[in-house]
């Protein structure tokens, strides 16, 4: 666009509003007590999910003690440095009721949607992050973001409905470009100049929306639902255009780094770790820059095919084919894989804690919900499925606790999380997974 | 009642009178997006963006069938908008505007509705796969004019109007539009634009070109001669190769290669490039055999003709020149047909070892359209643990055959997968495994054999082989999964035509595209009623559904 026309546009379309705005840095970020930004806006709450595959080796994963000061058995020893930031939930159940136990599917679907799936293709309802994003995601460039460490674009535990999976970012370079490429508005930039094309896009969009609406009237019910979804997406686009016309609030922890190198394809545990850490760093920088407030990180799939150097069974195969060592009382190679997952969970939590925000950290203003697909994967067990949370959601959650669920629904944690995020729900989950009982032990 | 010879012939060759396929609303696939942008604006424009289309779930064996039910999330729509903006800006930039825009504005810093209208009418027709009505065109011209006035730049205005086309649901979705069929009262057919789209996306995997749209506009596509002319032109084009490559890439589930890797410690010779070439080798073999040689489809499973490249030569122990060259395996080579290609063998193995079960499962699901059930959740793995130190896969999998709860499924996959055990997890030939000689005898649906030649022949002669190709092509061409409730007779008729035409692909494509089933439509089945899938389930009655790719990749095999 030519400079003259940009100026003319702004004068006309924005009533002579801001053209170039100088912004002082650093000391304007926060109010005196550090709980809100200087303009009085509270520091936003964020919601994240994290997932690992294939559960645990119960005898060396579940601490003997509950409550604070719980012990860290060897399979979760890697969590020592972040123990104070997390809660561990054990002895919570996933119920299949009259649905089949779909191996490596029922567990994660129930914990994310509250509903037991009827078939392997079936993705009932919507996932918890989608519900939360409707509440938290309207003020940011991305309503939510998903990323996977596996390098496989099909790996996602986030869906709007049975036919609409939120596509994860799978390539670090591509993720970087999407987040911090041409369309990124650095919240700490000293100047802000709205793009004149945005307002025009908004006016053009109404014609497109009209077409979407007309088209929806000419097709069958299922297809109409898909076109209605498209129409809704166009409305959301309008919201994003509005955001692009507003000067973003400065963000202290937002420091964009150089673009990363891409990584080769593969699921070697070392490579997976590298990719997980790169994707985590990018994701959390996007959160720190307030590009999104809802974010999903996928470390390994339910059928995790992670490989161990020198061992001929990928993770999932090992869970089934490896014998329980009679002396150790667990499957040593399978446990090796779970330990790698716990190291990555620790990295993720620490990374959140390393972002300074106000007088605390990003983690203090977040709630992370971490789930898996089985408890004891060898026999496809879904009772006693382990879960974690991290963060205090703005000081509203106690951390450093091990909670024994006593066989109550695992959906209680998802229900608690949604209430924390401000969703007006009285219960969550279907049939035996339904609960209206928050996990009160963790509430401040 | 007895039929005379002529009547019998007529009964066999006539298409079932009720033949019709469902009305579809399909999301463009990523390749269709790219091919369409390339066709309308050129490759350098399409290469400037990553296709913003979400991944599509494989449905009844095809990603293309999943496109008939996948939705687009809000996040994905924003990616579609970003790609649209990038494409539109490129089209109007100084490098491209002179040859992509058919007129020059009177002033580059002002609106020019006439020139904008000319460009938008032409381009919109190609992108939206049909002429726009006057109201729609006027709306877009208004967008261009308003934007040009605001920005004082004609081309910026035009770009914003083009962007509006590229995010419109009519571009992103291929929506079938129908009309009453004057030849068959009470039946409906695709209107001529929708028929043009169905033909073009099927055979070229791209939107209709100008000539096909003209044939639609002047009514030719709804005359038998005009339709035949259009089909023959599409079939004669070199672009048919792109269309059929995409189809076979989909049918063989080669999207697995997008995330396929082998453990470099176990298979140091296998890199990402090697695997890309393995995929390409098989596609070249298929296209060469079916389109260039017009040979019998079944012979793909016994042919020793293929293509070779330098990266693959080391894996095959073959000599190769630079680039791709035709290559014939020796008659006594263990390489015979598609099942012995590195692509099939490596894609259906683990990262660190081969898998007879995955290979047997893929053989049935990809080429015979049979579904292998999931393992039951309460399966007892203790016998496998006892076999953990087995020397060969046959010894290890012996537990499957001796345990009744395993045998139900594994007997339908392992006997043919074990015949391929002379090829390791990367598809490299091995005479022995862990020092032990391999027993590669096996059985495929009652046909017993001693070696891989026997498996290849049994596969070639399998009664489901050609029916499966017909099934997949029909689903791919008509844009969604087949329904045995409605399509059984049409499929059988098409299969008979395929047999009559000596199993030649071009002839089958012609029969299918000229069939009544291709252009006549019936209402779409709702998802609640569309429960009769086309693929046969074999083995255990506990089948739930076709297993996901990730299950196949990592299952306990």
């Amino acid at each position: 666009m030519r400079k003259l026309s940009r100026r003319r546009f702004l004068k006309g379309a924005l009533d002579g509003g801001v053209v170039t705005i100088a912004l002082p840095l650093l000391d304007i970020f926060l109010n005196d007590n550090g709980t809100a930004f200087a303009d009085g806006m509270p520091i936003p709450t964020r919601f994240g999910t994290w997932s690992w595959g294939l559960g645990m080796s119960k005898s060396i994963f579940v601490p003997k003690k509950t409550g604070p000061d719980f012990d860290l058995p060897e399979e979760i020893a890697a969590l020592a440095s972040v123990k104070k930031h997390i809660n561990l939930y054990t002895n919570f159940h996933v119920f299949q009721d009259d649905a089949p136990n779909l191996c490596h599917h029922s567990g994660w679907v129930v914990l994310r949607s509250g509903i037991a799936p009827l078939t392997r293709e079936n993705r009932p309802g919507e996932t918890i992050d989608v519900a939360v994003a409707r509440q938290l995601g309207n003020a940011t460039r991305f309503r939510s973001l998903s990323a996977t460490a596996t390098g496989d674009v099909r790996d996602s535990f986030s869906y709007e409905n049975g036919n609409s999976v939120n596509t994860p970012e799978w390539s670090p370079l591509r993720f970087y470009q999407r987040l911090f490429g041409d369309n990124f508005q650095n919240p700490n930039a000293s100047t802000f100049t709205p793009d004149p094309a945005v307002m025009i896009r908004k006016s053009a969009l109404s014609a497109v929306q009209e077409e979407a609406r007309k088209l929806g009237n000419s097709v069958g019910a299922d297809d109409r639902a898909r076109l209605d979804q498209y129409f809704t997406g166009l409305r959301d686009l309008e919201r994003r255009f509005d955001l692009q016309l507003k000067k973003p609030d400065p963000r202290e922890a937002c420091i964009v780094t150089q673009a990363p190198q891409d990584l080769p394809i593969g699921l070697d545990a070392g490579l997976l770790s590298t990719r997980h850490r790169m994707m985590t760093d990018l994701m959390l920088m996007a959160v720190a820059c307030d590009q999104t407030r809802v974010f999903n990180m996928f470390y390994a799939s339910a059928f995790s095919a992670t490989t161990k150097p020198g061992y001929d069974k990928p993770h999932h195969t090992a869970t089934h084919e490896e014998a329980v060592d009679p002396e150790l009382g667990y499957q040593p190679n399978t446990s090796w894989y779970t330990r790698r997952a716990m190291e990555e969970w620790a990295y993720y939590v620490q990374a959140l804690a390393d972002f300074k925000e106000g007088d605390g950290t990003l983690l203090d203003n977040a709630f992370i919900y971490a789930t898996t697909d089985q408890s004891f994967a060898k026999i496809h067990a879904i009772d006693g499925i382990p879960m974690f949370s991290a963060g205090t959601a703005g000081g509203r959650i106690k951390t450093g606790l091990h909670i024994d669920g006593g066989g109550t629904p695992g959906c209680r944690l998802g229900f608690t999380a949604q209430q924390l995020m401000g969703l007006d729900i009285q219960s969550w989950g279907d049939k035996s997974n339904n609960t209206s009982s928050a996990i009160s032990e963790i509430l401040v | 009642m007895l039929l005379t010879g002529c009547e019998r012939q007529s009964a066999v060759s006539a298409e079932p009178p009720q033949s019709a396929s469902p009305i579809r609303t399909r999301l463009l696939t990523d390749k269709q997006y790219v091919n369409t942008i390339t066709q309308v604006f050129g490759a350098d424009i399409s290469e400037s963006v990553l296709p913003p289309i979400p991944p599509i779930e494989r449905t009844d064996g095809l990603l293309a069938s999943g496109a008939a039910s996948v939705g687009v999330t809000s996040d994905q729509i924003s990616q579609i908008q970003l790609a649209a903006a990038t494409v539109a800006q490129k089209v109007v930039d100084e490098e491209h505007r002179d040859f992509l825009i058919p007129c020059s504005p009177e002033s580059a810093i002002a609106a020019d509705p006439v020139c904008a209208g000319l460009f938008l009418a032409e381009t919109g027709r190609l992108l939206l796969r049909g002429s726009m009505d006057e109201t729609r065109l006027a709306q877009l011209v208004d967008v261009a004019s308003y934007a040009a006035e605001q920005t004082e730049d004609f081309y910026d205005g035009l770009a914003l109007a083009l962007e509006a086309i590229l995010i419109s649901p009519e571009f992103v979705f291929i929506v079938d539009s129908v009309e009453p069929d004057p030849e068959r009262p009470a039946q409906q057919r695709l209107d001529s634009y929708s028929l043009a789209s169905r033909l073009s996306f099927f055979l070229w995997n791209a939107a209709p070109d100008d000539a096909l749209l003209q044939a639609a506009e002047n009514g030719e596509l709804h005359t038998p001669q005009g339709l035949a002319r259009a089909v023959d032109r599409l079939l004669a084009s070199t672009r048919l190769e792109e269309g059929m490559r995409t189809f076979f890439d989909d049918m063989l589930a080669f999207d697995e290669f997008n995330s396929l890797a082998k453990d470099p410690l176990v298979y140091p010779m296998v890199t990402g490039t090697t695997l890309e070439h393995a995929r390409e080798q098989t596609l070249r073999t298929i296209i060469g055999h079916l389109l260039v040689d017009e040979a019998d489809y079944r012979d793909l499973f016994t042919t020793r003709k293929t293509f070779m490249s330098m990266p693959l030569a080391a894996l095959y122990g073959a000599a190769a020149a630079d680039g791709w060259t035709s290559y014939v395996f020796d008659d006594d080579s263990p390489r015979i047909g598609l099942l012995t290609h590195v692509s099939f063998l490596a894609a259906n193995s683990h990262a660190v070892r081969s898998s007879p079960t995955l290979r047997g499962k893929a053989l049935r699901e990809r080429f015979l359209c049979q579904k292998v059930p999931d393992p039951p959740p309460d399966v007892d793995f203790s016998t496998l643990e006892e076999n953990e130190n087995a020397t060969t896969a046959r010894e290890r999998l012996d537990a499957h055959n001796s345990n009744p709860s395993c045998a139900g499924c594994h007997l339908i996959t392992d006997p043919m997968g074990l015949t391929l055990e002379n090829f390791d997890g990367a598809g490299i030939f091995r005479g022995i495994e862990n020092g032990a000689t391999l027993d590669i005898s096996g059985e495929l649906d009652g046909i017993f054999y001693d070696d891989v030649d026997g498996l290849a022949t049994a596969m070639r002669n399998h009664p489901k082989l050609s029916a499966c190709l017909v099934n997949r092509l029909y689903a791919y061409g008509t844009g969604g999964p087949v329904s045995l409730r409605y399509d059984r007779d049409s499929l059988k008729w098409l299969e008979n035509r395929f047999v009559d035409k000596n199993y030649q692909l071009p002839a089958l494509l012609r029969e299918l595209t000229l069939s009544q089933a291709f252009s006549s439509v019936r209402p779409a089945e709702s998802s609640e009623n569309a429960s009769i899938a086309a693929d046969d389930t074999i083995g255990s009655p506990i089948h739930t559904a076709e297993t996901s790719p990730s299950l196949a990749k990592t299952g306990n095999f």
Side-chain angles (χ1 to χ4, degrees):
Chain A
M1 302 272 168
R2 291 143 36 106
K3 279 183 185 171
L4 178 65
S5 34
R6 183 185 300 261
R7 214 170 282 129
R8 180 174 180 271
F9 165 79
L10 290 167
K11 202 170 177 198
L14 301 179
D15 294 329
V18 285
V19 174
T20 299
I21 305 153
L23 299 172
L25 283 174
L26 298 175
D27 57 347
I28 60 99
F29 282 114
L30 298 158
N31 65 1
D32 290 343
N33 58 19
T35 57
F37 293 111
D39 59 3
M41 293 292 288
I43 296 176
T45 302
R46 284 68 163 232
F47 178 76
T49 70
W50 192 85
S51 58
W52 82 101
L54 301 164
M56 62 172 177
S57 310
K58 184 178 177 184
S59 65
I60 51 167
F61 188 102
V62 177
K64 298 287 179 288
K65 294 185 215 163
T66 56
D69 303 322
F70 64 92
D71 50 307
L72 289 174
E74 58 184 291
E75 196 161 79
I76 59 169
L79 304 180
S81 62
V82 296
K83 183 182 158 192
K84 62 180 178 292
H85 297 308
I86 63 170
N87 290 325
L88 167 59
Y89 307 83
T90 62
N91 199 23
F92 284 85
H93 289 349
V94 163
F95 300 99
Q96 65 186 82
D97 293 319
D98 49 355
N101 179 6
L102 301 164
C103 312
H104 309 284
H105 188 64
S106 299
W108 77 258
V109 173
V110 168
L111 291 178
R112 292 299 174 95
S113 73
I115 306 169
L118 297 174
T119 68
R120 188 162 293 287
E121 290 92 348
N122 183 219
R123 284 183 288 264
E126 64 182 8
T127 51
I128 182 172
D129 57 294
V130 170
V132 172
R134 271 199 301 276
Q135 185 78 11
L136 301 186
N138 295 320
T140 51
R141 179 176 162 214
F142 303 106
R143 191 184 279 272
S144 69
L145 284 170
S146 299
T148 178
T150 61
D152 189 333
V153 70
R154 296 170 298 189
D155 286 340
S156 173
F157 285 164
S158 172
Y159 58 83
E160 284 187 2
N161 58 52
N163 295 327
S164 303
V165 176
N166 279 312
T167 314
E169 293 297 329
W170 75 99
S171 140
L173 180 58
R174 190 190 138 113
F175 194 21
Y176 178 89
Q177 287 165 343
R178 183 166 176 226
L179 293 174
F180 304 118
D182 291 344
N183 293 290
F184 174 64
Q185 292 179 327
N186 191 328
N188 301 327
S190 56
T191 60
F192 171 71
T193 311
D195 181 351
V198 173
M199 188 67 86
I200 303 165
R201 282 200 175 99
K202 266 194 73 174
S203 71
L205 202 55
S206 59
V208 179
Q209 286 171 325
E210 185 57 32
E211 287 305 312
R213 214 189 327 249
K214 275 197 289 191
L215 208 54
N217 293 332
S218 66
V219 299
D222 287 351
D223 293 335
R224 190 178 311 127
R226 295 161 69 208
L227 290 169
D228 284 349
Q229 183 189 18
Y230 199 86
F231 178 75
T232 306
L234 291 171
R235 294 284 301 272
D236 191 51
L237 204 52
E238 208 172 346
R239 177 191 64 79
R240 288 167 203 245
F241 290 156
D242 284 337
L243 284 174
Q244 288 173 30
L245 294 170
K246 283 171 53 186
K247 177 182 76 64
D249 294 325
R251 290 289 185 259
E252 177 185 13
C254 177
I255 301 165
V256 179
T257 53
Q258 294 291 306
Q261 294 285 316
D262 243 339
L263 293 171
I265 294 170
L267 289 172
D268 165 78
L271 180 60
L272 191 64
S273 167
T274 305
R275 200 183 293 118
H276 174 254
R277 293 174 186 211
M278 289 169 81
M279 298 304 265
T280 292
D281 291 351
L282 288 168
M283 178 70 90
L284 298 186
M285 185 55 76
V287 177
C289 295
D290 208 27
Q291 303 298 292
T292 190
R293 294 175 186 173
V294 180
F295 45 104
N296 303 302
M297 177 58 70
F298 191 104
Y299 164 67
S301 69
F303 282 96
S304 169
T306 311
T307 59
K308 174 186 176 185
Y311 181 56
D312 75 344
K313 295 181 180 65
H315 188 182
H316 172 238
T317 309
T319 63
H320 293 307
E321 292 189 2
E322 186 183 22
V324 173
D325 185 300
E327 285 185 21
L328 295 171
Y330 60 86
Q331 300 162 285
N333 285 299
T334 301
S335 181
W336 184 90
Y337 287 115
T338 307
R339 291 170 206 226
R340 301 293 80 74
M342 292 301 104
E343 286 168 5
E344 296 311 307
W345 170 232
Y347 178 87
Y348 182 81
V349 174
Q350 188 58 52
L352 275 157
D354 286 344
F355 278 96
K356 187 175 178 310
E357 194 171 62
D359 57 0
T361 71
L362 193 53
L363 185 60
D364 295 329
N365 298 304
F367 187 80
I368 312 297
Y369 175 53
T371 60
T372 183
D373 54 306
Q374 308 278 183
S375 51
F376 186 31
K378 187 176 187 62
I379 57 168
H380 297 122
I382 50 175
D383 54 332
I385 199 163
M387 302 177 290
F388 290 99
S389 70
T392 66
R396 290 176 292 159
I397 290 289
K398 297 177 206 165
T399 53
L401 302 173
H402 169 214
I403 309 293
D404 182 330
T408 55
C411 285
R412 290 179 65 203
L413 183 54
F415 173 63
T416 310
Q418 289 176 80
Q419 286 202 320
L420 277 170
M421 296 300 119
L423 273 70
D424 183 18
I425 55 170
Q426 303 309 310
S427 68
W428 188 58
D430 189 41
K431 299 181 181 171
S432 301
N433 294 302
N434 179 268
T435 182
S436 53
S437 167
I439 301 177
S440 56
E441 299 96 310
I442 65 170
L443 300 175
V444 171
Chain B
M1 185 178 73
L2 290 175
L3 296 173
T4 65
C6 286
E7 285 168 334
R8 191 179 298 115
Q9 179 63 29
S10 167
V12 169
S13 59
E15 184 173 2
Q18 297 305 316
S19 291
S21 46
I23 301 169
R24 307 278 192 200
T25 296
R26 293 184 273 163
L27 184 68
L28 279 183
T29 65
D30 53 358
K31 279 189 182 169
Q32 287 168 350
Y33 182 95
V34 169
N35 289 348
T36 301
I37 298 295
T38 303
Q39 181 171 287
V40 180
F41 301 121
D44 63 329
I45 304 268
S46 63
E47 285 163 7
S48 67
V49 291
L50 285 167
I53 306 297
I56 292 170
E57 191 159 350
R58 187 169 297 283
T59 304
D60 275 352
L62 291 175
L63 297 173
S65 289
S69 57
V70 68
V72 184
T73 65
S74 297
D75 178 56
Q76 288 152 359
I77 289 175
S78 99
Q79 297 196 47
I80 288 170
Q81 185 267 323
L82 289 174
T86 305
V87 167
Q89 276 301 330
K90 279 254 173 202
V91 168
V92 303
D93 70 16
E94 290 184 1
E95 192 185 334
H96 297 94
R97 63 178 59 153
D98 288 346
F99 59 92
L100 289 178
I101 300 170
C103 51
S104 296
E106 284 194 14
S107 163
I109 58 169
D112 183 338
V114 175
C115 183
L118 196 60
F119 170 76
L120 292 169
E122 277 189 16
T123 307
R125 172 174 169 267
L126 294 172
L127 291 173
L128 302 177
R129 306 174 285 273
S131 292
M132 283 185 283
D133 62 38
E134 285 179 13
T135 312
R136 181 81 188 277
L137 180 58
Q139 234 170 12
L140 286 166
V141 172
D142 283 350
V143 168
S145 296
Y146 171 70
E149 284 163 13
Q150 292 297 321
T151 60
E152 292 183 354
D153 191 314
F154 168 79
Y155 291 103
D156 283 339
L158 206 56
L160 285 160
L162 175 57
E163 189 182 314
I165 294 177
L166 291 169
I167 62 170
S168 96
E170 289 164 297
F171 172 67
V172 175
F173 288 97
I174 307 163
V175 183
D176 286 345
S177 178
V178 302
E179 62 188 20
D181 186 343
E183 304 294 320
R184 282 178 282 273
Q187 286 200 29
Q188 290 195 306
R189 67 181 185 186
L190 294 173
D191 74 13
S192 54
Y193 282 132
S194 289
L195 179 55
S197 283
R198 190 175 277 195
L199 286 168
S200 187
F201 282 113
F202 178 31
L203 297 177
W204 288 358
N205 203 36
D209 64 356
D210 178 59
L212 191 56
L213 288 174
Q214 277 185 33
E217 277 151 7
N218 63 28
E220 274 185 51
L221 289 187
H222 277 147
T223 66
Q225 299 83 359
L227 179 60
R229 242 191 330 270
V231 164
D232 287 339
R233 185 179 72 86
L234 295 172
L235 289 173
S237 165
T238 53
R239 298 181 67 185
L240 179 65
E241 179 179 327
E242 162 65 15
M244 287 302 103
R245 279 175 70 95
T246 308
F247 165 72
F248 281 103
D249 196 83
D250 192 352
M251 180 177 168
L252 270 62
F254 275 179
D255 53 305
E256 286 292 329
F257 280 90
N258 297 338
S259 55
L260 186 69
K262 295 292 164 185
D263 188 323
L265 291 176
V266 183
Y267 304 114
M269 284 201 294
V270 181
T271 64
T273 304
T274 324
L275 292 170
E276 273 175 34
H277 278 239
R279 178 183 190 168
E280 176 66 19
Q281 177 192 36
T282 298
L283 292 173
R284 280 176 182 256
T285 305
I286 290 171
I287 296 301
H289 183 87
L290 295 178
L291 293 187
V292 178
D293 297 344
E294 296 197 24
D296 186 323
Y297 169 68
R298 299 169 303 166
D299 293 344
L300 268 177
F301 295 86
T302 52
T303 183
R304 294 185 189 274
K305 287 174 66 177
T306 185
F307 293 84
M308 194 59 68
S309 70
M310 288 287 265
L312 285 179
L315 266 61
Y316 282 104
D322 279 347
W324 284 96
T325 51
S326 57
Y327 188 88
V328 182
F329 292 115
D330 294 339
D331 284 347
D332 58 353
S333 161
R335 304 283 182 178
I336 175 169
L338 291 192
L339 299 181
T340 61
H341 280 205
V342 166
S343 61
F344 180 81
L345 297 163
N348 298 298
S349 294
H350 296 298
V352 283
R353 72 178 194 202
S354 66
S355 171
T357 307
L358 287 181
R359 288 171 180 175
K361 182 171 182 287
L363 177 154
R364 289 203 178 271
E365 294 186 343
R366 308 281 175 251
F367 299 116
L368 302 178
C369 296
Q370 296 170 324
K371 287 183 179 179
V372 176
D374 283 354
D378 57 349
V379 62
D380 175 8
F381 291 98
S382 55
T383 47
L384 273 176
E385 292 170 6
E386 291 162 13
N387 284 18
E388 205 181 13
N389 297 320
T391 307
T392 65
R394 187 177 287 274
E395 286 176 27
R396 192 170 63 249
L397 295 178
D398 189 47
H400 289 157
N401 300 333
S402 54
N403 182 330
S405 72
C406 303
C409 291
H410 282 276
L411 282 175
I412 57 177
T413 54
D414 295 1
M416 56 253 33
L418 286 166
T419 302
L420 298 168
E421 273 298 285
N422 269 139
F423 305 101
D424 66 17
I428 301 168
F429 180 78
R430 59 184 174 188
I432 56 174
E433 183 183 11
N434 297 320
T437 308
L438 293 165
D439 172 5
I440 56 167
S441 62
E443 179 247 333
L444 176 61
D445 296 338
I447 306 297
F448 292 83
Y449 45 79
D450 297 327
D451 54 22
V452 74
D453 282 38
L455 171 63
T457 305
M459 193 66 183
R460 184 219 179 264
N461 297 329
H462 197 288
K464 296 277 187 189
L465 187 73
S466 56
C468 182
L469 178 70
V470 169
N471 178 312
R472 294 290 188 248
L473 270 175
Y474 184 89
Y476 186 85
T478 59
V482 304
S483 158
L484 287 188
R485 179 185 297 162
Y486 297 105
D487 298 323
R488 188 192 304 269
D489 292 344
S490 299
L491 289 167
K492 189 65 199 166
W493 172 78
L494 265 175
E495 188 192 347
N496 288 338
R497 299 299 297 151
F498 190 33
V499 174
D500 288 347
K501 300 288 183 182
N502 301 317
Y503 302 93
Q504 290 180 321
L505 179 68
L508 174 60
L509 296 175
R510 193 169 193 277
E511 292 285 343
L512 175 51
T513 47
L514 295 179
S515 71
Q516 178 186 314
F518 195 80
S519 54
S520 285
V521 290
R522 61 173 192 265
E525 283 176 84
S526 83
S527 53
E528 289 173 9
N529 299 326
S531 56
I532 301 183
D535 288 4
D536 299 332
T537 300
I538 53 175
S540 164
I542 59 154
H543 161 75
T544 52
E546 182 162 291
T547 49
S548 69
S550 53
L551 170 65
K553 185 57 48 207
T554 56
N556 170 53
F557 308 122

